[in-house]
Amino acid sequence: MTQEGIAVEDKATELEEAGRRDFMRLFGGVLGGGGIALVAAALLPEAAAVADKPDIPGYDWNKHHWSFGVDATKCIGCLRCVEACKVENNVPKDPHHFRTWVERYVTLEGEEKTHIDSQHDPVNIEAAGADGKYRFANRYKDAKVDKAFFVPKLCNHCTHPACVQVCPVGATYKTEDGAVLIDHTMCIGCQYCVQACPYGARFFNEEIQATDKCTWCYHRITKGLNPACVEVCPVSARVFGDRNDKQSPISIFLRNNRVTVLRPESGNAPNVFYVGIDKEVS
Amino acid sequence: MPKHITRLLLVIVLAAVLAYVGKQWLTVESFYRFGHYRGNSVAEIASDKPKYATPKSCETCHAAKYAEWSRGVHNNPEQGKVVKCEVCHGAAGGRDKNPNGYNSATGAEHPKNLKLEIPADTVRQCTLCHEQMPGRPLQQKQIVVATHAGTQQCKVCHNVHSPRTFVGALASTSKPGNPAAGKAIAADCAACHGKLGISEDASIPSLAGQTEIYLADAIKAYKKGLRKDETMMSMAKDLSDSASENLAAYFASLTCKSAQDGETPAAARGQVLAKKCASCHGENGISKQAMWPSLAGLSKPYLEKALKSYKAERKNGMMNNIAKNMSDADMADLASYYANVACR
């Protein structure tokens, strides 16, 4: 602005000045008032959500904090959890869609590389014999095995889930009690979340045309039951419970064990805690 | 107010109203109820019907099987080893309706119509957990099928609901008897089995200190003709079940005496073989289970005869399998070993 221009403005009449002020006041008032109303409108449901809860009979999600434990030193690789999960949750029976799975880590003598296979490995599919049946082939029985162990895997129901962050339609979310769920009716099948998950826990379910994942059997835990995989595990390698209850299996598990999580560096803060896994597991 | 300002305000208000109406119209019900998602979906997901029930729900109709299982090794909560009903039989509360599913429902859900799976191939079923495999933790009981059972099904020897209890043992209905009442009847046995149950004739077994249920079962088996021996069959034919049990209780209460024939080298060879017998007949041949006989201190000729009879004609699913792979020399060595160990 030029010197002259400033001089001109300085000479503005009181009337003009007053008109501008009035306008600013009026406009500011409208904007401000509207803004407050908008903010209030936006905030009110949030504030209400603290006390509000979904209409689940006999269940208040504000009173629970679910977590899952896996003791890999106990897992025998029987895959009963995998079969039970498929039945309980109507997961496609083919050997390529899993909400939970078990990995086998085998290091042979004199080798540095670890052999990793899961139930969807062709050799294991053949050993299983039929869709919906799963078993690990005894493929290392004659090999010189230096070290071998099984690791059950499932959705980690992270505290900061990357999958939820990337969903463009609000089809997946974190519940108050700790589960990460998918609303299949909202899912558009873009599979951004499948890409975002650092653990490969999500898959696209062609039968329902939506992305699918472990829910910790939300329909069971809200009725006081254990997830199906925990229910059938014959060796208690899987532990589940409410961390608000200090005597629940998971609270005891976390108290009595030094636990780790998968890929802590990803910043997702998993809620599935592992005991007895090795450096190869991620 | 200048005209253009009014118009601008109008446009702003109109846009705001349109945006608000549009959002109300386009947003599904309950979307922002808890956050950036459809709030009602939580309750919808939670409303699914569980398919896996609990063993307690099986107990309502299958109490006997439940009792068998709940007392057995497959229900050991202290060690965290609990193989629940549905681990082997599949979900009880309704199955997958997927037509391609291997266990599609054939009717309404169990218990109305749907039959649960009864694994026919127990070898396949049991080895899911018990096949020896690298990666399985040591505390898990594991077998190599070829050397453990060959082509036999697991259920031939094991009660599938309580695997450590063997099939033959489970069949026993004998109850503990009254030793005092048995003593009166025992006089009839003394001629062959000895006055205090210690036999003088090596081909006839001593009964003193033998396990009680086994003795009672043996007498009953002779009575019914399931065990064949002319003398014993005629002796047992008039004994009632309770008399058999009392008699068994009396002999079980007596003090045993080991045969001790002093054949040390044979006994040493037999000791190696005997390791396989220990799971039923006890460490050193003293059975911890009342339904299986103790072998410690029995005479060599009797034990040898018994083993040979299992290899030949005598029926016993468990013993037939064991005896069929034994040579005569093995039998002699094993008999020597048991004849020479202390019986208590």
Side-chain angles (χ1 to χ4, degrees):
Chain A
M1 204 175 273
T2 61
Q3 200 65 37
E4 197 186 346
I6 292 168
V8 171
E9 257 187 81
D10 283 346
K11 282 178 194 160
T13 61
E14 286 229 331
L15 191 69
E16 275 171 328
E17 187 69 12
R20 190 176 293 168
R21 279 191 191 133
D22 280 350
F23 173 74
M24 291 307 282
R25 275 196 201 106
L26 178 68
F27 195 65
V30 168
L31 262 190
I36 288 165
L38 275 177
V39 168
L43 282 181
L44 268 176
E46 293 280 316
V50 176
D52 197 8
K53 58 183 201 290
D55 318 310
I56 305 168
Y59 182 78
D60 184 351
W61 72 354
N62 296 307
K63 292 186 178 153
H64 300 276
H65 178 193
W66 303 113
S67 281
F68 201 102
V70 173
D71 188 344
T73 62
K74 288 183 178 168
C75 180
I76 57 172
C78 65
L79 299 174
R80 298 307 84 205
C81 47
V82 174
E83 279 189 28
C85 174
K86 288 233 177 191
V87 172
E88 181 72 40
N89 297 299
N90 288 330
V91 181
K93 291 285 179 286
D94 63 68
H96 305 288
H97 297 80
F98 296 98
R99 287 186 176 198
T100 185
W101 66 101
V102 180
E103 292 170 359
R104 170 165 62 183
Y105 291 72
V106 179
T107 315
L108 300 178
E109 277 179 26
E111 289 185 12
E112 280 191 8
K113 200 165 158 267
T114 303
H115 300 256
I116 307 173
D117 66 342
S118 188
Q119 68 276 358
H120 62 270
D121 185 282
V123 178
N124 296 332
I125 292 174
E126 204 190 330
D131 271 3
K133 298 271 189 194
Y134 305 98
R135 92 182 281 146
F136 275 107
N138 205 351
R139 64 202 291 183
Y140 298 106
K141 67 177 169 189
D142 299 322
K144 286 196 167 136
V145 175
D146 195 31
K147 184 175 193 174
F149 57 96
F150 295 97
V151 181
K153 293 241 181 125
L154 66 157
C155 169
N156 283 291
H157 295 268
C158 305
T159 306
H160 308 298
C163 53
V164 170
Q165 198 179 353
V166 300
C167 180
V169 293
T172 183
Y173 52 90
K174 177 101 180 149
T175 61
E176 285 296 315
D177 47 1
V180 174
L181 302 180
I182 299 180
D183 178 359
H184 288 147
T185 61
M186 293 295 281
C187 178
I188 56 170
C190 71
Q191 300 183 54
Y192 273 132
C193 55
V194 178
Q195 300 276 333
C197 175
Y199 307 101
R202 288 174 169 244
F203 62 93
F204 189 69
N205 184 339
E206 288 84 2
E207 283 179 7
I208 57 168
Q209 286 292 307
T211 300
D212 211 349
K213 71 180 278 295
C214 161
T215 62
W216 275 344
C217 285
Y218 200 70
H219 61 295
R220 296 177 62 88
I221 61 176
T222 49
K223 294 178 180 73
L225 296 164
N226 268 330
C229 58
V230 177
E231 181 70 23
V232 300
C233 180
V235 292
S236 305
R238 289 169 179 256
V239 179
F240 185 80
D242 185 353
R243 287 171 75 181
N244 288 350
D245 171 5
K246 292 299 166 207
Q247 291 309 313
S248 72
I250 189 66
S251 295
I252 292 168
F253 179 84
L254 292 174
R255 196 154 58 234
N256 293 345
N257 289 294
R258 258 54 72 193
V259 297
T260 182
V261 294
L262 300 179
R263 301 193 182 209
E265 75 284 359
S266 74
N268 284 262
N271 287 303
V272 175
F273 300 95
Y274 282 84
V275 163
I277 54 173
D278 213 348
K279 58 191 182 300
E280 298 89 2
V281 183
S282 65
Chain B
M1 197 182 296
K3 222 180 190 176
H4 64 283
I5 300 295
T6 321
R7 280 188 195 143
L8 180 63
L9 283 176
L10 262 176
V11 168
I12 289 171
V13 168
L14 198 67
V17 169
L18 264 178
Y20 183 76
V21 172
K23 186 156 191 186
Q24 290 299 312
W25 186 58
L26 288 172
T27 305
V28 293
E29 195 197 342
S30 82
F31 194 81
Y32 290 104
R33 189 174 164 199
F34 307 116
H36 189 254
Y37 58 94
R38 199 168 57 88
N40 289 354
S41 70
V42 182
E44 283 166 21
I45 293 168
S47 71
D48 275 1
K49 200 164 164 262
K51 290 180 183 167
Y52 276 81
T54 54
K56 280 279 160 206
S57 72
C58 305
E59 189 190 9
T60 330
C61 305
H62 306 280
K65 292 274 186 286
Y66 177 89
E68 223 172 274
W69 164 81
S70 63
R71 286 196 299 262
V73 286
H74 267 178
N75 179 30
N76 188 348
E78 289 82 29
Q79 283 186 21
K81 303 228 169 191
V82 183
V83 187
K84 295 176 185 160
C85 315
E86 290 163 306
V87 175
C88 301
H89 293 294
R95 295 292 187 85
D96 198 352
K97 301 290 192 288
N98 174 3
N100 300 320
Y102 71 100
N103 53 6
S104 300
T106 50
E109 50 193 52
H110 188 79
K112 284 183 215 143
N113 280 321
L114 182 63
K115 293 258 189 291
L116 292 195
E117 205 173 343
I118 296 171
D121 189 349
T122 48
V123 174
R124 198 170 167 77
Q125 183 70 27
C126 303
T127 54
L128 279 167
C129 299
H130 294 292
E131 180 179 19
Q132 195 176 81
M133 188 185 280
R136 292 215 157 123
L138 294 177
Q139 72 266 23
Q140 176 69 5
K141 300 266 184 231
Q142 298 167 56
I143 57 142
V144 176
V145 181
T147 55
H148 179 90
T151 54
Q152 283 281 9
Q153 283 288 323
C154 308
K155 65 184 169 196
V156 171
C157 302
H158 298 275
N159 169 13
V160 287
H161 292 118
S162 176
R164 197 170 288 162
T165 315
F166 293 101
V167 168
L170 199 83
S172 173
T173 53
S174 297
K175 291 181 277 293
N178 175 2
K183 189 174 181 181
I185 322 167
D188 295 343
C189 314
C192 300
H193 288 290
K195 200 175 165 197
L196 287 169
I198 313 288
S199 163
E200 302 292 329
D201 180 343
S203 68
I204 294 167
S206 293
L207 303 179
Q210 188 51 279
T211 47
E212 185 176 345
I213 303 294
Y214 164 74
L215 281 181
D217 283 348
I219 299 169
K220 290 178 191 171
Y222 281 124
K223 186 180 171 185
K224 288 183 195 154
L226 298 173
R227 269 183 84 166
K228 303 208 188 304
D229 179 288
E230 280 191 20
T231 319
M232 279 308 298
M233 283 158 82
S234 75
M235 293 297 289
K237 72 176 193 294
D238 295 329
L239 288 172
S240 69
D241 278 3
S242 64
S244 306
E245 282 157 13
N246 293 339
L247 202 51
Y250 170 68
F251 281 118
S253 71
L254 297 176
T255 308
C256 69
K257 181 167 168 262
S258 183
Q260 303 279 14
D261 59 13
E263 281 187 54
T264 327
R269 287 195 298 276
Q271 186 167 14
V272 180
L273 297 169
K275 286 196 178 110
K276 285 185 182 169
C277 315
S279 58
C280 298
H281 293 290
E283 201 81 20
N284 304 320
I286 299 166
S287 169
K288 294 268 193 296
Q289 301 281 347
M291 61 281 260
W292 294 313
S294 290
L295 304 179
L298 292 177
S299 73
K300 183 184 173 186
Y302 170 72
L303 287 170
E304 233 182 319
K305 188 176 80 179
L307 276 170
K308 282 179 179 161
S309 73
Y310 282 125
K311 192 171 182 175
E313 81 293 338
R314 190 167 157 192
K315 290 237 177 327
N316 179 312
M318 174 75 74
M319 287 307 299
N320 293 155
N321 261 328
I322 293 164
K324 75 169 186 238
N325 295 323
M326 290 177 76
S327 66
D328 284 0
D330 283 349
M331 291 181 182
D333 290 346
L334 198 56
S336 285
Y337 166 69
Y338 281 120
N340 282 295
V341 290
C343 64
R344 50 181 306 161

